[in-house]
Amino acid sequence: MQSGLLSFHSIHGSQIQLSNNNHTATRVDAEKVYDNGVVYAGIPFSGHSRFVVEANELGVGWSGSFKLGVVLLSPDNFKQGYKPPRYSPGSDHDSWVWSRNLLHIGSEVKVPYGFINLEEVEKGDRLGIEVSEDGVVRYLVNGAGQGVVAQNIYTTHDHVMGFIDHYGQAVTSTVVDAFVSPFSLQHLCRKVIYRRLKHDMRALSEYLPQPLLHYVLAICIKDTPHDDQSDRAKATK
């Protein structure tokens, strides 16, 4: 495990002020400004990862509250000078944002999500993001999973970044539990093979026995594009 995730990232919204060795994020002038409160986890997720914050301060006068999100960002773009969206969900196509009682998938799709409404979050509640070794994302409230958000999140070259949006009533939060784990060698091997051959999955069947073929293709499930799913089906026949 690495401890680098035990803080917020230096890339954050213009209204965010970090303190407490970057463990605490506050949206300044919260009584005047309701947005520009996005702050990312300290390093990209990998393997089994968790990022949990405690709600320290909530204001009044605005609608909306904390939002949790995961977004895929190119390493070439996500560096000093990168400008986060004013609020989430933004225009990112590859993002999964929990706001109120809805999960926003990209900028267009919205589906019901969670066992509570995030506008009901109170001071002292803990909000988290957890990703399994095989890339299944879940959001957490006080340690309780709220349902699957996404799968196969690691089949990409992009950074998998978690973030907290201090929006509306949400003013301050502090990181209380966070870690990332290195990918297993098995996962990395499967990922490389899949990336290199995903445009012609049938080529795999010429080199691998059926049990190993099914194992390799286990990382490409329902988030795989339709054309890739078709090729996978042909390869496993």
Side-chain angles (χ1 to χ4, degrees):
M1 295 183 184
Q2 299 182 28
S3 60
L5 194 59
L6 293 173
S7 65
F8 287 117
H9 204 286
S10 59
I11 296 176
H12 51 70
S14 60
Q15 293 298 121
I16 288 292
Q17 183 176 80
L18 299 181
S19 60
N20 188 25
N21 292 321
N22 291 351
H23 287 71
T24 298
T26 299
R27 195 180 85 249
V28 298
D29 295 327
E31 71 282 357
K32 300 177 182 179
V33 181
Y34 64 87
D35 56 3
N36 283 303
V38 171
V39 59
Y40 298 94
I43 58 177
F45 291 152
S46 68
H48 181 205
S49 301
R50 186 184 302 142
F51 189 73
V52 180
V53 303
E54 182 174 301
N56 299 140
E57 182 183 355
L58 293 102
V60 295
W62 300 112
S63 62
S65 188
F66 287 101
K67 304 179 186 182
L68 303 180
V70 171
V71 61
L72 305 184
L73 295 172
S74 166
D76 294 331
N77 295 330
F78 189 73
K79 53 190 175 182
Q80 292 303 321
Y82 176 80
K83 186 177 181 180
R86 284 179 52 212
Y87 51 79
S88 59
S91 59
D92 297 299
H93 295 295
D94 295 320
S95 64
W96 297 261
V97 179
W98 183 18
S99 174
R100 295 189 172 97
N101 59 353
L102 294 174
L103 179 66
H104 298 250
I105 304 172
S107 57
E108 298 180 357
V109 178
K110 294 186 291 186
V111 295
Y113 181 81
F115 300 114
I116 74 164
N117 187 320
L118 284 179
E119 290 210 358
E120 299 172 357
V121 166
E122 300 177 346
K123 181 178 178 179
D125 283 339
R126 295 189 171 192
L127 311 174
I129 305 164
E130 185 159 27
V131 187
S132 68
E133 163 69 25
D134 55 355
V136 177
V137 181
R138 290 178 174 85
Y139 294 144
L140 314 172
V141 176
N142 295 323
Q146 302 296 301
V148 173
V149 171
Q151 301 185 70
N152 269 355
I153 199 74
Y154 291 134
T155 55
T156 174
H157 286 294
D158 292 335
H159 284 333
V160 178
M161 300 300 303
F163 66 85
I164 310 295
D165 189 353
H166 300 71
Y167 180 84
Q169 301 173 32
V171 179
T172 302
S173 71
T174 296
V175 180
V176 292
D177 177 24
F179 63 82
V180 298
S181 306
F183 288 121
S184 68
L185 180 60
Q186 290 176 328
H187 174 87
L188 293 173
C189 289
R190 288 191 304 173
K191 191 173 179 181
V192 169
I193 293 172
Y194 169 64
R195 282 178 179 165
R196 291 179 180 274
L197 295 176
K198 70 178 181 179
H199 297 299
D200 186 8
M201 302 301 282
R202 286 167 290 184
L204 284 172
S205 61
E206 299 178 12
Y207 303 100
L208 300 177
Q210 285 294 313
L212 184 56
L213 176 64
H214 284 283
Y215 175 74
V216 170
L217 298 184
I219 62 169
C220 46
I221 47 180
K222 73 176 184 180
D223 284 340
T224 305
H226 175 74
D227 291 342
D228 288 350
Q229 290 181 5
S230 297
D231 282 342
R232 180 181 59 175
K234 293 174 183 177
T236 55
K237 287 182 179 179

